[in-house]
Amino acid sequence: MNQTKPGRRVDRRRFLTLAGLAGAGAAAGVRPAAAEATPDPDIVNLPPWTQALGAGVNNHPYGTPSPFEKDVVRREVTWLTASSESSVSFTPLYALDGIITPNGLCFVRHHGGEAEIDPARHRFMIHGMVDKPLVFTMEDIKRMPGRTNRVYFLECAANSGMEWRGAQLNGCQYTHGMIHNVVYTGVPLRAFLEAAGVKPKGKWVLAEGADASAMTRSIPLEKAMDDCLVAWAMNGEALRPEQGYPLRLVVPGWEGNMWIKWLRRIEVGDQPWGQREETSKYTDLLADGRSRRFTFIMDAKSVVTSPSPQAPLHAKGPNVVSGVAWSGRGTITRVDVTLDGGKNWTTARIEGPALPRAMTRFYLDVDWNGEELLLQSRAMDDTGYVQPTKAELRAVRGVNSIYHNNGIQTWLVRSNGEAENVEVS
Amino acid sequence: MSRSARSCAVAGAFLLAFTGLASADAVKLGRPALPEEIKAWDIDVRPDGLGLPEGKGSVSQGEELFQNNCAACHGEFGEGVGRWPVLAGGQGTLKSERPEKTIGSFWPDTSTVFDYVHRAMPFGAAQTLQPDEVYAIVAYLLYLNDVVAEDYVLSKENFPKVALPNQANFYDDDREITEKAFWNAQPCMKDCKPKVEITSHAAVLDVTPDAGKEGDKPAGAVE
């Protein structure tokens, strides 16, 4: 896997003009003539920040965002769950750009609350079908050879799970916010398994966390030996406590529940362990009453993050349609955007790195005349997978599966710029 | 010696001081895990019964333990309080509008009940129950789901014989076969459909946080 490859060559900046407004639309975004304008007080009056001295360099030893960004926070949907300790908060995707999610805004899913662990007392054990069961301290782990940095998305399998029966939540934070994308620093899990020596009969590993849910998932040994990481840092700093400090498992492209936080144990065995999170949960109930299990991979998916219900359009004329796409099967190769609910599509430009199993940013520059839009995005990956419509998904799976809803999202953008979550025929 | 050749030599000496590059099979880090340490953490129980501790417990013992430790959230008969998980009932609902996924209606393996209760319950007091208590609570849950009779005593010995009704209805991920149509290298770009109508509005339900209004009971949950 090569993560140093630059993103796709950026196309020439392109404006998409809506059909039928070649003449009329021209007036929409025109600047007022200089003669009609009054001087801008924010230019002609001396503001306090230009006059008086600001705070010193270490006013915030650990920096925080501008107070004007106070609304850009994770949010909960309290009716979803019985308690906040076993619940989820959502990433404010509508307010973010680029591909990296800031650590403090990465969505959080706990099953037994946030464990607060002293790294000096944390241990990592490898045992089961191995030649030498081993215990590592955090210090040992950070001395391991083969340290690496990798950008990956982590998406909860239940992301968009509330939308199976129809449009329900107004905002991509809620419909798509169980995802984040950061750069991890860690060591391949393979290095630990090789140090312990996996016996020939070993086919699965069980990963376990040290939190009050002692979260467990069975993972095929093949995946564990392929690209899983034992990580201690995200975006250049120690993992945040809510993301598993001091140690978490990274399982690229696979459902977030498997990325065990507060990782303390890997057991090697010859069959899966039938844990709660891979039987009663994270299995996909289909229309015929049967259920798929081991649906680990997160299929290609995308969403327009702006405009969206929490990020309305403010003016006619030039606007940037912005969104993210990702695929657990590989690299995003193309994202198409429609403004008319899927009649006609235009290929958006992928901007910035397009890395395997990582969030990828796309833009479409438009000239909006104030007509209603039915905005959708459609992701494709390098396996040829094309993000399906919600109708196509429901035709195969019904509406009861909760997990793995990667259907195409529609935003209705009204002529006043406000957006709503809708579905279209 | 040229300048660059000299710096190479210096770098070589530096590497030698660290006795060469480490490789995975030559890792000298970590220490052997002691049997007592493995025993302390290795509490997982597999569907074939591997990992079950010695012990046993009856339905009636389980009933008392359940009322004292579990019923506050799960209800006296496993019917669930508020949004806490329903543990019993729900048979025949998996194809319905609102499937009720309980131990009896959905869960494939009895071992999962033992493993999960032992590892993570009671919520907020995890891993405080003794093996006999866990056997008894699992026996009571099986009784509530009509899997065992009222006088049943569950033990390490008879555990693997207790099967749950929905076990046969799980199968491995087959998306690459049943959803093959999604691998479509040439999606439609122009005139893909004659007309587009809005079929569903989120504003009708209005269950978005901070939306300012009380809405209908929302569908779905994060599990």
Side-chain angles (χ1 to χ4, degrees), chain A residues 331-347:
Chain A
T331 305
I332 292 294
T333 51
R334 190 174 117 191
V335 182
D336 299 329
V337 171
T338 175
L339 307 173
D340 57 15
K343 286 183 196 164
N344 298 290
W345 297 82
T346 306
T347 298

Side-chain angles (χ1 to χ4, degrees), chain B residues 92-111:
Chain B
T93 65
L94 295 186
K95 292 187 221 171
S96 76
E97 184 85 352
R98 297 232 173 202
E100 196 80 86
K101 297 198 278 186
T102 73
I103 293 167
S105 72
F106 188 69
W107 293 36
D109 305 306
T110 319
S111 63

Side-chain angles (χ1 to χ4, degrees), chain A residues 40-378:
Chain A
D40 184 345
D42 284 333
I43 295 177
V44 296
N45 299 337
L46 181 65
W49 53 84
T50 308
Q51 187 180 20
L53 296 175
V57 291
N58 213 25
N59 196 42
H60 302 287
Y62 193 106
T64 49
S66 159
F68 298 100
E69 300 295 319
K70 66 177 169 31
D71 292 334
V72 182
V73 289
R74 297 183 284 226
R75 290 184 174 86
E76 265 191 284
V77 179
T78 47
W79 55 257
L80 267 179
T81 50
S83 89
S84 184
E85 293 84 7
S86 180
S87 192
V88 63
S89 67
F90 298 82
T91 304
L93 288 178
Y94 71 93
L96 303 181
D97 216 321
I99 64 165
I100 297 294
T101 316
N103 284 343
L105 295 177
C106 290
F107 88 96
V108 174
R109 173 78 169 109
H110 297 327
H111 294 76
E114 179 185 311
E116 194 181 293
I117 297 177
D118 176 353
R121 297 184 56 195
H122 191 69
R123 304 287 182 272
F124 177 49
M125 184 189 290
I126 310 262
H127 74 104
M129 289 183 161
V130 296
D131 299 327
K132 298 167 287 181
L134 292 171
V135 172
F136 296 84
T137 63
M138 285 304 297
E139 245 181 68
D140 294 333
I141 292 166
K142 291 179 180 179
R143 289 168 60 204
M144 288 285 284
R147 188 186 304 186
T148 186
N149 293 293
R150 289 285 186 276
V151 179
Y152 293 119
F153 77 82
L154 181 164
E155 184 186 19
C156 176
N159 200 19
S160 314
M162 292 85 81
E163 303 286 312
W164 273 108
R165 290 163 188 281
Q168 181 160 275
L169 288 161
N170 249 332
C172 64
Q173 179 164 16
Y174 304 111
T175 56
H176 290 75
M178 286 192 235
I179 188 167
H180 54 67
N181 192 70
V182 306
V183 53
Y184 293 96
T185 304
V187 172
L189 175 56
R190 182 181 59 242
F192 296 94
L193 290 166
E194 283 174 352
V198 175
K199 289 190 194 290
K201 280 189 174 168
K203 292 286 176 278
W204 288 79
V205 304
L206 181 75
E208 182 183 79
D211 63 317
S213 74
M215 175 59 65
T216 37
R217 284 296 299 256
S218 305
I219 302 168
L221 181 69
E222 196 183 350
K223 178 71 172 176
M225 296 295 276
D226 178 19
D227 57 359
C228 290
L229 300 178
V230 173
W232 61 83
M234 58 194 287
N235 290 339
E237 64 177 355
L239 290 171
R240 290 291 170 92
E242 67 270 30
Q243 302 297 342
Y245 179 88
L247 200 64
R248 92 170 305 164
L249 191 62
V250 171
V251 190
W254 288 21
E255 57 191 26
N257 183 255
M258 306 178 80
W259 299 46
I260 301 299
K261 301 192 280 192
W262 311 290
L263 179 69
R264 75 169 191 184
R265 186 167 75 97
I266 294 282
E267 182 176 357
V268 180
D270 57 358
Q271 44 179 287
W273 280 262
Q275 296 291 286
R276 176 187 186 255
E277 308 293 320
E278 58 209 29
T279 55
S280 77
K281 311 290 173 189
Y282 302 95
T283 49
D284 310 343
L285 176 60
L286 304 190
D288 66 359
R290 298 193 305 147
S291 301
R292 284 182 185 148
R293 60 174 188 174
F294 305 144
T295 47
F296 302 135
I297 298 177
M298 301 307 295
D299 280 319
K301 186 168 172 179
S302 67
V303 65
V304 170
T305 53
S306 176
S308 64
Q310 298 161 291
L313 291 178
H314 295 294
K316 295 176 189 175
N319 276 289
V320 180
V321 173
S322 172
V324 280
W326 58 94
S327 170
R329 295 186 190 274
T331 305
I332 292 294
T333 51
R334 190 174 117 191
V335 182
D336 299 329
V337 171
T338 175
L339 307 173
D340 57 15
K343 286 183 196 164
N344 298 290
W345 297 82
T346 306
T347 298
R349 59 190 173 90
I350 288 173
E351 182 54 52
L355 302 169
R357 297 174 182 86
M359 214 185 245
T360 303
R361 177 64 58 175
F362 65 86
Y363 298 116
L364 185 70
D365 303 305
V366 299
D367 191 358
W368 182 52
N369 70 345
E371 275 186 352
E372 266 192 9
L373 307 177
L374 286 168
L375 205 52
Q376 301 178 331
S377 60
R378 176 176 68 192

